[in-house]
Amino acid sequence: MSSLKPYLQKNVKVITVDGRLFLGMLEGFDNNTNIVISSAKERVFFKDRPTEDMEMGLCIVRGNEVVAICDYDEEEEAVTDYTNIHAEKLKDTKNSLI
């Protein structure tokens, strides 16, 4: 996972297979894409109420749960009013057995 090296010690957004969005600083990773994020928070979008950021602290996300990782601009995040952004929960990417 050398492609993640440029993201070390930078702010990243992580989307997981169950549709969750995490933000924080990428502290480390391994060959299985298990990642460690410090100052992590989960951003939860709602259809009918303001978006919430839930503080998580230090967070480990298993590699088989990671769908996408990207960096983000902290200044742009600070000026974006997420309380006025509404959305339905992302659908998960797991295949249903039913």
Side-chain angles (χ1 to χ4, degrees), residues 9-35:
Q9 301 302 312
K10 294 196 174 152
N11 291 317
V12 294
K13 291 182 181 181
V14 178
I15 298 176
T16 62
V17 295
D18 60 354
R20 297 168 75 186
L21 173 64
F22 294 96
L23 298 92
M25 182 171 290
L26 182 63
E27 296 291 343
F29 62 91
D30 65 12
N31 288 336
N32 296 317
T33 319
N34 297 313
I35 60 174

Side-chain angles (χ1 to χ4, degrees), residues 1-95:
M1 290 308 325
S2 61
S3 60
L4 287 179
K5 280 185 182 178
Y7 296 104
L8 277 173
Q9 301 302 312
K10 294 196 174 152
N11 291 317
V12 294
K13 291 182 181 181
V14 178
I15 298 176
T16 62
V17 295
D18 60 354
R20 297 168 75 186
L21 173 64
F22 294 96
L23 298 92
M25 182 171 290
L26 182 63
E27 296 291 343
F29 62 91
D30 65 12
N31 288 336
N32 296 317
T33 319
N34 297 313
I35 60 174
V36 178
I37 306 170
S38 64
S39 303
K41 53 187 167 185
E42 181 180 359
R43 179 159 294 149
V44 183
F45 293 91
F46 299 98
K47 184 178 176 180
D48 56 356
R49 60 182 182 165
T51 300
E52 293 179 14
D53 283 348
M54 298 172 30
E55 299 294 329
M56 306 291 286
L58 187 67
C59 187
I60 298 172
V61 181
R62 290 179 50 147
N64 64 343
E65 296 292 315
V66 174
V67 171
I69 300 174
C70 68
D71 61 347
Y72 69 90
D73 183 351
E74 196 169 344
E75 290 177 15
E76 190 168 323
E77 280 290 313
V79 298
T80 303
D81 182 11
Y82 284 100
T83 60
N84 287 324
I85 298 174
H86 301 278
E88 298 208 20
K89 184 180 182 306
L90 289 173
K91 294 186 186 316
D92 66 40
T93 61
K94 294 179 182 177
N95 292 324

